[in-house]
Amino acid sequence: MHYFLSEEQQMIVDICRQIVEERIVPVRAELDEKSIFPKDIIDEIGKSDLFRLFIPEAYGGMGTGIFEVCLATEELSRGCLSVATSYAASGLGFIPIIVMGSEEQKQKYLPELAEGKKIAAFGLTEPEAGSDAGSIRTRAAKDGDFYILNGTKQWITNGGEADIYTIFAVTNPGRGARGVSAFIVEKGTEGFEFGKKEDKLGIRASATRELIFTDCKIPSQNMLGSEGMGFITAMRTFDQSRPAVGAQGVGVAQAALEVALDYAKVRKQFGVPISSFQAIQHMLADMATQVEAARSLVYHAAKVIDSGEKNVAKLSAMSKMYASDVAMKVTIDAIQVLGGYGYMKEYPVEKMMRDAKILQIYEGTNQIQRNVIALELIKRGVL
Amino acid sequence: MENIFRIIVCIKQVPGTTEIKINPQTNTLVREGIETVINPFDTYAIEEGVRVKERIQQSGEAAEVTAITMGPPQSESILREAIALGADKAILLSDRAFAGADTWATALTLKKAVKKIEGWRLIILGKQTLDGDTGQVGPELAHMLNIPFIGYASSIEEISFQKITVKRLAEDRYETFEVRLPAAVSVGKDINIPRVPSLRGKLKAKNETIPVWRAVDVELDEKDAGLPGSYTQVIKIFTPKHTYEVKMIEGGPDEQADELFKKLKQLSIV
Amino acid sequence: MYDAIEITGKLARINDNCIFCGACIDACKFKSIEITGIPEQDFDFSGYEGVMVFIEQHQGSVAEVSYELLSEGRKLADTLGTKLYGILPGYDLKERIADIFCYGIDRLYIAENEIFKNNIDDIYSKILVQAINRYRPDIFLGGATSFGRTLLPKVAAIIKTGLTADCTELSIDPDKKILLQTRPTFGGNILATIITRNARPQMATVRPHVMAKAAINQPDNNRTDNYLKYAGKIEFLKFDPLNFKTKYKLLSQEKESGQSINLTDYDVIVSGGRGIGGPDNFALIKELADVLGGVVGASRAAVDSNWISYPHQVGQTGKTVNPKVYIACGISGAIQHLAGMQTSDIVIAINKDPYAPIFKIANYGLVGDLFEIIPRLIKKIKSGKSSI
């Protein structure tokens, strides 16, 4: 399939493909069953320079764009969504530093993240604040040259495994979203602890934990931007990261489609392969078309973002929403094509379906995405 | 005089034979479309070389890995692979005069090339090639360079500018040897897990200019290279004839299992 | 494959890329390519005589392959009408002398000293070179054990002679009276016959279990007067141990822990390949191996996929085996695999693909689903009777 990739882009795909075949596929079922964080694989991903894709050259990155990040994320997702999520979530965790950080902050944190020596996590969601991110309660009270953090974050991907956390907390109560600021908090800081590790339906190898802040004292140099800039930081971050979530959807859908197709060609019923039945053929045709359409939308959004265009929120949200919906549909249909075998853990599709569901929920539920798209349409028009 | 720990990794291009097809009419191997690949054990050698480099660098010293191969011009592709996997430099030894070399002539050619590289401390090779699989070039090369050789290393326990400690597996026991550098070591699959190429490595590999050394460049007389310089020579290549006919056991699984059981009984295996 | 042949008009020309791989022989439609013929020797080797075998031992225990080589060496010596010699460096050797003489050796050269207590390359190579230079054998054979594979190339390099490794067949050319060394080559379905030209001795190594050990009469158990009994046929080499310097410092030796399997100890091997499909299904293979009193083997594909560990791997890059019965299940028969088991006494192959190469070398072939056949076979073996 020729997607007109440059040689360097093809190299990225080849490296990820090798990691998928040699490192991910042999162990993914076990990591999923036992909920084991894929540390060795993430290390390997780091050594292959794949975290550098997010980061500007001045800080040890490759100077590539979201397009390349999506290429890597899609390919890794074909292997296992837990691994891809751990990879993409680290990006989500340090993109705030890229969009809002000072020169000192970038020099301090990005190089090690680029090398893959450390990974990051994004801490926004709380028990009482999911879609309603503006009503987070974690408090960052100013105290001289420090801020004291108190509160709990919930369902944080890479929680416990990451070294660098971007935490959103209220610095100015009573101002709603405009009273939120973003901070860099390092693992090991006194007063920063981890709560339980969640037992999930899918992406089970991805580490999801509570972050608990109890009078956690952090220097004010760790604030990203100035007070009240937290929300904008988060929104700008999501604009960049959402296509990567879309890419995850494309990757897992592609993988499920491949399994369904191979199976349909081999499985015989009534004396013929089931791929000769029109019912199956139509399902496969729809699945393939959806994957192709999702892929086009994701990479189109990525290209627009990389071109420097400012108003990308709508396209970004569309790519995340559409591709994640496609992923859910295609993985469910893949199970249907495999019939009884699709339901068994012995075959990889049931895991793909369980994994795909999260894509419709995190980084802004698809309902929130639709809100974003609609508001952008109304504000700026169709194009 | 710089103090760089230079590591030389000798690699070879071999046919990739995982897809075997036999022509049912002629009963021979179908060779068309079989690609050439880097000898699988050499990937482990490159990885070990890069790891040794990293260990030396961690101790604060400089180190460098050079990959070298003796082969036809298209062997250049495996040198680029080596760079993508972390080798810093590569050299292609290629000359018509080298063709037909047995392990002696190959070792001699490599020796001449190694002599042209300054400051090398360690030579690493894959334990054997997939096509020749004699594993002889390593020990012969080491002898010609007057350095010790340790084969089938399962781990390099310690390494410094002066010494190396290697653990190797003999048939039924592990032996740990210490030798002074320079030395040569061959490795198998148990020594490490080769890394996936890095993006920067691949880009470097793509752009690298790889020097080609001919016989004259390494001061090797043509009569000492290739077939003329070999002590052994292939005089015949043939397909083995099988003196027995295979007896197919037909039928459904029940009949086959039954027939097989009877055969095993006849052979006094059950 | 190497783009080495250029065709201009009707003439094929071999260019720089040729590496003598032999692919062209099969490929040529006119069958007009041949790499053949024994070239004239330039040297007079009349001063060399006899077949000498390096008898390898470790701390008094002689390697089986040495007996296999003595058996083969005796045949070669008989063909040439010459003598069979053994060279045995070692320490604390008295126990094994009787066994060695059962294989028809004419003369045994012994170098006994503490310096040979451990298998060190440069110590052993020095004594072997000394023996070769002194006694000038025409042919010198050694086992391709892990020690042999590094020791013998060093000896060959010091002497400056040719060495052919892993021979599957050794014979004497009736006209030229030289050693024809045959081995598999190029990973293909091809054998190559090699000769040593312009140098002596003609050196070759053979892997364990490839050649047959001659059936011998039991050596007598009275070992105390072994040296006396064979006195006329034993010669102790003279050497100065102080002259034997080594570059190797042996820091430690540990027996390999009991975890590893030695496939070569078993008479029955049941092997699984790609057709097994996954690690859990190897349980079926193990069950069959267990009821037959055998052990589980595997193809490289299965080991590379991490379905089973490396000690079980049979093949060119794994173990070479020749059990009484080798049952290949779901193994296609890649050449690397065949190289490791084709000398088994009986080969039974079970594979879904009727064109799988393994059927070419099997004694019995079953085209079918191993997951259907094997459980039924196990059931029959367990119940001990046939239903037909």
Side-chain angles (χ1 to χ4, degrees):
Chain A
M1 197 79 271
H2 193 34
Y3 285 106
F4 307 105
L5 298 178
S6 72
E7 234 183 302
E8 183 176 336
Q9 289 166 342
Q10 188 59 48
M11 285 177 187
I12 294 171
V13 171
D14 290 341
I15 288 171
C16 291
R17 202 157 281 176
Q18 195 177 336
I19 292 177
V20 164
E21 279 162 15
E22 291 178 13
R23 305 286 195 263
I24 298 179
V25 169
V27 299
R28 63 186 175 184
E30 195 192 346
L31 293 179
D32 177 67
E33 194 184 314
K34 299 187 182 158
S35 253
I36 301 172
F37 182 71
K39 176 133 196 11
D40 289 342
I41 300 175
I42 295 295
D43 282 346
E44 192 84 50
I45 287 173
K47 281 207 217 136
S48 295
D49 297 327
L50 294 171
F51 285 107
R52 297 187 201 273
L53 297 177
F54 293 89
I55 293 172
E57 270 181 286
Y59 312 103
M62 301 288 306
T64 43
I66 295 300
F67 190 96
E68 283 75 15
V69 169
C70 286
L71 279 176
T73 311
E74 179 193 336
E75 209 53 44
L76 291 172
S77 301
R78 280 174 77 192
C80 172
L81 221 46
S82 288
V83 174
T85 295
S86 308
Y87 168 71
S90 182
L92 180 65
F94 63 70
I95 290 175
I97 303 176
I98 299 174
V99 304
M100 202 52 92
S102 67
E103 189 59 32
E104 287 84 2
Q105 288 167 330
K106 288 179 187 175
Q107 295 283 4
K108 181 173 176 188
Y109 295 105
L110 292 179
E112 279 184 312
L113 290 161
E115 278 176 44
K117 286 209 172 102
K118 293 187 174 168
I119 60 172
F122 187 85
L124 174 59
T125 304
E126 293 179 10
E128 302 299 319
S131 293
D132 184 9
S135 65
I136 54 171
R137 291 199 212 145
T138 299
R139 183 88 170 79
K142 197 154 178 24
D143 179 11
D145 286 329
F146 295 90
Y147 283 87
I148 313 289
L149 253 57
N150 271 292
T152 310
K153 295 295 181 187
Q154 190 180 59
W155 302 332
I156 305 303
T157 305
N158 290 345
E161 306 292 339
D163 302 281
I164 311 290
Y165 296 78
T166 300
I167 305 296
F168 295 84
V170 178
T171 38
N172 312 88
R175 299 195 62 201
R178 283 195 218 91
V180 173
S181 309
F183 297 90
I184 301 172
V185 185
E186 293 185 59
K187 180 164 136 182
T189 308
E190 202 182 315
F192 175 15
E193 271 155 8
F194 301 105
K196 64 182 165 90
K197 186 167 160 189
E198 303 290 350
D199 188 10
K200 308 186 292 292
L201 167 67
I203 55 165
R204 292 172 52 78
S206 160
T208 313
R209 284 192 175 89
E210 270 184 328
L211 311 180
I212 303 167
F213 299 95
T214 319
D215 294 329
C216 178
K217 202 162 154 182
I218 50 172
S220 50
Q221 298 98 289
N222 282 29
M223 184 163 67
L224 285 167
S226 44
E227 279 191 9
M229 293 296 280
F231 225 62
I232 293 181
T233 306
M235 290 306 116
R236 283 197 199 154
T237 300
F238 287 142
D239 282 348
Q240 305 230 357
S241 66
R242 278 171 181 161
V245 180
Q248 286 185 59
V250 175
V252 73
Q254 174 79 18
L257 172 61
E258 282 169 6
V259 174
L261 184 58
D262 287 342
Y263 178 85
K265 281 155 62 170
V266 162
R267 168 75 171 173
K268 279 191 171 163
Q269 288 288 270
F270 309 107
V272 292
I274 62 172
S275 57
S276 39
F277 300 141
Q278 199 171 58
I280 299 289
Q281 287 175 354
H282 283 190
M283 282 177 80
L284 292 172
D286 285 340
M287 287 157 79
T289 309
Q290 283 152 7
V291 171
E292 209 56 63
R295 178 175 287 122
S296 301
L297 185 47
V298 164
Y299 288 100
H300 173 59
K303 274 199 121 94
V304 169
I305 295 170
D306 288 339
S307 73
E309 171 66 45
K310 287 231 177 287
N311 298 318
V312 294
K314 182 184 70 183
L315 210 44
S316 193
M318 282 177 165
S319 67
K320 189 270 191 192
M321 178 196 86
Y322 186 70
S324 56
D325 282 348
V326 163
M328 200 66 240
K329 176 138 204 330
V330 169
T331 50
I332 289 177
D333 286 346
I335 294 184
Q336 192 67 20
V337 169
L338 266 73
Y341 287 104
Y343 207 68
M344 303 302 155
K345 278 192 178 281
E346 218 182 304
Y347 286 73
V349 282
E350 59 83 31
K351 171 179 172 293
M352 290 175 190
M353 188 204 85
R354 285 187 289 108
D355 289 343
K357 185 62 192 156
I358 193 64
L359 300 174
Q360 292 175 308
I361 297 173
Y362 71 13
E363 269 185 66
T365 60
N366 284 5
Q367 285 66 36
I368 291 294
Q369 304 298 335
R370 285 172 170 88
N371 283 2
V372 169
I373 297 167
L375 290 170
E376 285 289 308
L377 272 174
I378 293 165
K379 188 154 96 181
R380 291 182 222 276
V382 175
L383 291 166
Chain B
M1 174 72 166
E2 6 145 302
N3 208 21
I4 293 187
F5 190 110
R6 284 211 169 82
I7 302 147
I8 298 179
V9 182
C10 298
I11 63 179
K12 188 179 174 191
Q13 191 179 53
V14 297
T17 51
T18 47
E19 289 292 307
I20 305 292
K21 292 194 189 87
I22 291 196
N23 181 325
Q25 275 122 7
T26 62
N27 211 36
T28 55
L29 194 69
V30 174
R31 286 188 174 278
E32 284 87 55
I34 294 183
E35 37 148 29
T36 52
V37 298
I38 185 172
N39 178 41
F41 293 108
D42 296 350
T43 320
Y44 295 83
I46 295 168
E47 174 66 24
E48 200 57 26
V50 176
R51 287 191 188 194
V52 166
K53 171 177 110 172
E54 287 167 353
R55 282 160 86 168
I56 299 285
Q57 285 172 334
Q58 254 164 35
S59 71
E61 304 284 350
E64 190 183 86
V65 175
T66 301
I68 186 166
T69 190
M70 183 186 98
Q74 61 263 53
S75 315
E76 193 200 67
S77 63
I78 61 165
L79 291 171
R80 293 195 189 277
E81 249 187 88
I83 293 176
L85 291 169
D88 302 286
K89 293 188 178 148
I91 298 168
L92 172 61
L93 278 173
S94 190
D95 192 325
R96 186 158 187 189
F98 299 154
D102 68 355
T103 57
W104 165 273
T106 304
L108 183 61
T109 311
L110 285 171
K111 173 222 172 170
K112 291 281 189 177
V114 167
K115 282 278 190 208
K116 293 233 154 254
I117 299 171
E118 273 186 33
W120 58 272
R121 313 286 308 153
L122 183 62
I123 299 180
I124 307 182
L125 310 95
K127 71 177 190 182
Q128 62 203 46
T129 57
L130 225 49
D131 55 359
D133 96 317
T134 61
Q136 285 170 196
V137 170
E140 289 181 333
L141 174 62
H143 172 71
M144 292 173 182
L145 290 167
N146 199 24
I147 62 176
F149 175 82
I150 301 174
Y152 312 99
S154 56
S155 80
I156 295 182
E157 306 276 293
E158 303 212 9
I159 181 91
S160 69
F161 271 75
Q162 292 78 32
K163 300 189 283 196
I164 185 171
T165 305
V166 178
K167 189 170 181 181
R168 59 162 260 173
L169 182 59
E171 265 79 12
D172 60 345
R173 61 191 186 273
Y174 281 105
E175 297 172 326
T176 304
F177 285 102
E178 180 194 285
V179 294
R180 296 192 68 79
L181 293 183
V185 167
S186 80
V187 303
K189 287 191 173 185
D190 47 344
I191 192 157
N192 60 42
I193 297 180
R195 65 194 63 190
V196 173
S198 71
L199 184 54
R200 283 182 168 177
K202 278 178 120 92
L203 288 167
K204 178 164 191 257
K206 179 176 116 136
N207 298 322
E208 186 86 353
T209 314
I210 296 179
V212 180
W213 289 1
R214 301 182 74 93
V216 59
D217 299 312
V218 296
E219 288 159 34
L220 181 62
D221 215 307
E222 287 201 4
K223 67 166 170 50
D224 296 325
L227 185 56
S230 300
Y231 287 119
T232 60
Q233 183 180 354
V234 175
I235 58 158
K236 190 165 110 176
I237 298 184
F238 60 100
T239 331
K241 286 175 202 24
H242 301 293
T243 51
Y244 47 81
E245 279 283 307
V246 58
K247 291 182 197 57
M248 299 306 289
I249 297 180
E250 311 280 353
D254 283 310
E255 288 103 332
Q256 287 174 314
D258 201 64
E259 191 59 34
L260 187 51
F261 172 70
K262 284 201 238 157
K263 290 275 181 288
L264 290 173
K265 239 182 149 178
Q266 274 170 17
L267 295 166
S268 313
I269 302 299
V270 289
Chain C
M1 160 183 25
Y2 289 91
D3 291 322
I5 305 182
E6 292 159 9
I7 314 240
T8 34
K10 290 211 169 189
L11 215 57
R13 194 181 79 80
I14 314 286
N15 68 22
D16 275 21
N17 293 339
C18 171
I19 62 161
F20 289 76
C21 79
C24 52
I25 299 178
D26 289 341
C28 174
K29 292 195 203 54
F30 302 101
K31 297 275 171 254
S32 66
I33 302 182
E34 214 177 40
I35 304 176
T36 188
I38 300 180
E40 286 306 308
Q41 302 282 346
D42 300 340
F43 293 78
D44 172 23
F45 294 121
S46 53
Y48 292 85
E49 176 268 333
V51 178
M52 185 179 276
V53 172
F54 164 53
I55 299 173
E56 183 180 329
Q57 54 70 55
H58 181 242
Q59 299 185 343
S61 187
V62 173
E64 279 293 297
V65 67
S66 302
Y67 297 131
E68 291 161 14
L69 283 170
L70 286 171
S71 310
E72 191 61 31
R74 183 70 261 168
K75 286 191 230 159
L76 293 171
D78 288 341
T79 311
L80 283 168
T82 182
K83 296 204 187 335
L84 175 64
Y85 306 107
I87 165 101
L88 174 59
Y91 184 59
D92 201 15
L93 297 168
K94 296 185 178 47
E95 291 231 345
R96 285 305 193 167
I97 306 300
D99 288 347
I100 293 171
F101 277 98
C102 291
Y103 291 89
I105 201 171
D106 292 302
R107 198 160 190 78
L108 178 62
Y109 298 105
I110 296 181
E112 188 160 19
N113 191 287
E114 212 184 337
I115 57 173
F116 300 117
K117 191 164 163 207
N118 293 306
N119 289 356
I120 309 284
D121 281 355
D122 48 11
I123 302 270
Y124 273 71
S125 62
K126 199 174 166 90
I127 196 73
L128 291 185
V129 168
Q130 192 178 309
I132 290 172
N133 283 337
R134 174 101 192 278
Y135 299 105
R136 296 158 74 79
D138 184 29
I139 293 172
F140 189 91
L141 306 176
T145 57
S146 64
F147 182 45
R149 273 184 243 138
T150 50
L151 171 65
L152 291 152
K154 188 168 171 70
V155 171
I158 297 172
I159 304 269
K160 295 207 173 81
T161 185
L163 171 65
T164 304
D166 306 339
C167 298
T168 49
E169 205 187 299
L170 293 170
S171 60
I172 305 292
D173 178 81
D175 296 314
K176 311 255 182 187
K177 305 282 183 230
I178 58 174
L179 182 66
L180 300 177
Q181 307 147 41
T182 300
R183 68 185 308 274
T185 188
F186 235 92
N189 196 17
I190 276 178
L191 293 174
T193 299
I194 293 158
I195 56 143
T196 311
R197 51 172 225 185
N198 301 337
R200 285 295 180 270
Q202 306 166 89
M203 287 181 66
T205 67
V206 179
R207 290 226 173 167
H209 308 293
V210 168
M211 296 201 174
K213 203 168 64 169
I216 55 164
N217 297 319
Q218 281 305 311
D220 42 30
N221 286 316
N222 181 1
R223 299 194 190 282
T224 52
D225 61 342
N226 274 334
Y227 279 176
L228 295 172
K229 183 169 179 181
Y230 298 107
K233 293 185 175 181
I234 294 180
E235 188 174 316
F236 290 92
L237 294 181
K238 289 192 186 29
F239 58 94
D240 180 2
L242 296 173
N243 256 346
F244 282 64
K245 305 260 186 287
T246 176
K247 290 186 163 138
Y248 302 85
K249 199 163 146 190
L250 180 61
L251 297 181
S252 70
Q253 265 180 103
E254 305 144 23
K255 272 272 179 233
E256 219 207 327
S257 67
Q259 275 209 6
S260 77
I261 306 275
N262 198 354
L263 296 185
T264 52
D265 289 341
Y266 293 83
D267 281 336
V268 178
I269 299 178
V270 185
S271 258
R274 201 184 293 275
I276 300 298
D280 299 328
N281 298 335
F282 260 93
L284 183 63
I285 303 298
K286 183 162 193 333
E287 215 191 322
L288 179 57
D290 286 344
V291 301
L292 292 173
V295 72
V296 174
S299 72
R300 199 176 117 191
V303 173
D304 282 354
S305 301
N306 288 315
W307 296 343
I308 189 165
S309 64
Y310 181 64
H312 295 271
Q313 185 171 320
V314 171
Q316 220 168 38
T317 51
K319 291 235 169 59
T320 303
V321 297
N322 64 346
K324 284 212 182 73
V325 175
Y326 188 89
I327 305 181
C329 311
I331 292 177
S332 63
I335 294 312
Q336 287 99 320
H337 188 76
L338 298 188
M341 45 61 71
Q342 60 194 351
T343 55
S344 305
D345 293 348
I346 301 283
V347 174
I348 299 170
I350 307 175
N351 196 300
K352 262 192 190 142
D353 175 8
Y355 295 111
I358 189 106
F359 289 124
K360 298 276 170 211
I361 63 123
N363 297 87
Y364 299 104
L366 290 80
V367 177
D369 186 347
L370 64 101
F371 294 110
E372 301 283 327
I373 298 174
I374 295 180
R376 288 168 166 81
L377 179 62
I378 292 173
K379 212 163 149 196
K380 288 203 195 305
I381 296 170
K382 281 186 172 165
S383 69
K385 48 189 183 284
S386 132
S387 60
I388 296 177

